Amino acid sequence: KKKIEEVDKTVAKIINDMAMTSAAVPANEEGGMEPAQVEAMGEDIMQEMMKEIEHMTQKGDADNVVDGMMQQLLAKEIMYEPMKQVNDKFPQWLANNKPHLSQPEYQRYGHQYQGFQRIVHVYEHDPNNFPRLMELMQDIQEYGQPPAEIVQELAPDLQFDQEGMPKMDPGGMPFPGGNEQCPVM
């Protein structure tokens, strides 16, 4: 419990530092930041994050850092509503698209729907069971992306590439050039 609180404090400090850094950068005439400012801010943020993670790693808490971050990402407040919305739309989508899908595709989407049902059930009955949530999230990833039509209905501005993966807006990324230069993406 104490280690999780320490991870939470570290993540909160990183977020706070990011906010302070962006607030300290003056805006250009259009109200945005100059590309050089965005790049410098991105570098500062990454250096701060790496310093904090390195500090935690030196103390032998690397696994706790990752676990703490995953718990924050899987928190019911963040993930439940989108998971429930996809889950609620799946039955109608399956019914409407069954004639257009091959049997293997229909089965794959059916298994994916069952995975979403399990995730929603855990969020409703045992929302702090992070190991189970992580397991279920990994399970549904085996079936690929949810149907693009469902995601498009829930996020109309989202666009997809040829592989069905959501396109990320490079302008919204803290890394110059977007995902291509992001060390994680």
Side-chain angles (χ1 to χ4, degrees):
K1 180 88 175 167
K2 184 177 181 178
K3 288 182 180 184
I4 290 173
E5 288 173 5
E6 188 174 330
V7 170
D8 288 346
K9 286 179 185 176
T10 300
V11 171
K13 182 182 181 324
I14 291 169
I15 292 170
N16 186 46
D17 289 349
M18 289 168 57
M20 298 285 281
T21 301
S22 65
V25 177
N28 64 14
E29 294 171 6
E30 291 86 33
M33 290 186 276
E34 298 294 334
Q37 292 172 315
V38 173
E39 185 173 342
M41 187 175 79
E43 289 175 14
D44 291 346
I45 291 169
M46 285 306 296
Q47 286 176 356
E48 183 65 28
M49 285 175 55
M50 294 309 294
K51 186 169 54 172
E52 291 294 331
I53 291 171
E54 188 176 309
H55 174 71
M56 296 291 284
T57 304
Q58 288 173 352
K59 292 173 29 180
D61 291 337
D63 288 341
N64 292 330
V65 170
V66 173
D67 289 347
M69 290 174 136
M70 290 309 299
Q71 286 182 12
Q72 288 184 348
L73 291 172
L74 292 174
K76 183 176 181 178
E77 297 79 30
I78 295 173
M79 293 299 294
Y80 173 70
E81 196 56 40
M83 292 289 146
K84 180 146 178 42
Q85 289 175 347
V86 171
N87 183 64
D88 291 347
K89 295 199 176 294
F90 236 116
Q92 185 66 45
W93 185 89
L94 284 169
N96 291 344
N97 288 281
K98 184 175 184 176
H100 310 291
L101 298 171
S102 68
Q103 186 61 26
E105 286 176 312
Y106 184 76
Q107 287 178 336
R108 179 174 66 87
Y109 284 122
H111 289 298
Q112 190 177 55
Y113 171 50
Q114 290 171 350
F116 276 96
Q117 288 177 308
R118 288 184 195 104
I119 290 169
V120 168
H121 178 80
V122 172
Y123 275 122
E124 290 175 347
H125 298 284
D126 192 10
N128 294 320
N129 189 345
F130 294 110
R132 179 69 177 143
L133 287 167
M134 179 66 93
E135 176 186 337
L136 292 171
M137 292 288 188
Q138 289 171 343
D139 288 350
I140 65 167
Q141 285 183 349
E142 290 180 28
Y143 300 108
Q145 294 293 318
E149 296 88 350
I150 292 176
V151 176
Q152 192 73 45
E153 190 176 328
L154 297 173
D157 294 332
L158 193 60
Q159 297 178 355
F160 297 89
D161 63 18
Q162 289 102 350
E163 288 88 43
M165 296 297 293
K167 290 182 181 179
M168 298 306 228
D169 175 17
M173 299 296 292
F175 301 97
N179 292 342
E180 294 78 30
Q181 295 182 15
C182 174
V184 178
M185 300 304 282

